Amino acid sequence: MKFSSQIKPISYLKSHTAEIVRELSEKREPLLITQNGEAKLVVMDVKSYEELEETLALLKILALGNREIEQGKFRDAEDVFAELDK
């Protein structure tokens, strides 16, 4: 994940919470929080989080579909349409 300049220590999060909330809502870029120089959390606005969750759900559906195709669990489109036409 790319964070550019959005990396702050946990002390910054504690002392600038309102400002961080405003910035995250406006910029919609995640903020990486460090503790003792190590990455510990990612903070993001709710809309970005919901979009991320939707994207992950779609990727899971695609992965399941690919797995079923690899296992031969599919029908030709022509067969499906022929059955629908009956």
Side-chain angles (χ1 to χ4, degrees):
M1 187 177 282
K2 186 178 178 182
F3 284 97
S4 62
S5 64
Q6 294 288 25
I7 302 172
K8 302 288 183 189
I10 197 162
S11 58
Y12 183 85
L13 175 65
K14 292 175 183 177
S15 61
H16 295 86
T17 307
E19 178 185 337
I20 290 170
V21 169
R22 184 179 42 74
E23 284 184 17
L24 291 177
S25 297
E26 289 173 4
K27 293 181 181 178
R28 300 199 54 215
E29 292 180 8
L31 174 64
L32 179 67
I33 301 297
T34 62
Q35 186 176 35
N36 299 324
E38 285 187 44
K40 291 293 182 178
L41 356 143
V42 175
V43 181
M44 62 177 39
D45 66 287
V46 172
K47 186 168 180 156
S48 295
Y49 176 77
E50 289 171 345
E51 289 173 357
L52 177 64
E53 288 292 307
E54 289 174 11
T55 300
L56 290 174
L58 290 172
L59 288 172
K60 286 178 184 178
I61 290 168
L62 287 172
L64 289 172
N66 284 337
R67 189 175 308 134
E68 288 181 354
I69 290 169
E70 290 171 359
Q71 295 171 349
K73 297 179 182 177
F74 65 92
R75 294 174 50 198
D76 289 329
E78 292 175 4
D79 295 342
V80 173
F81 288 123
E83 186 176 317
L84 291 173
D85 287 339
K86 290 182 183 179

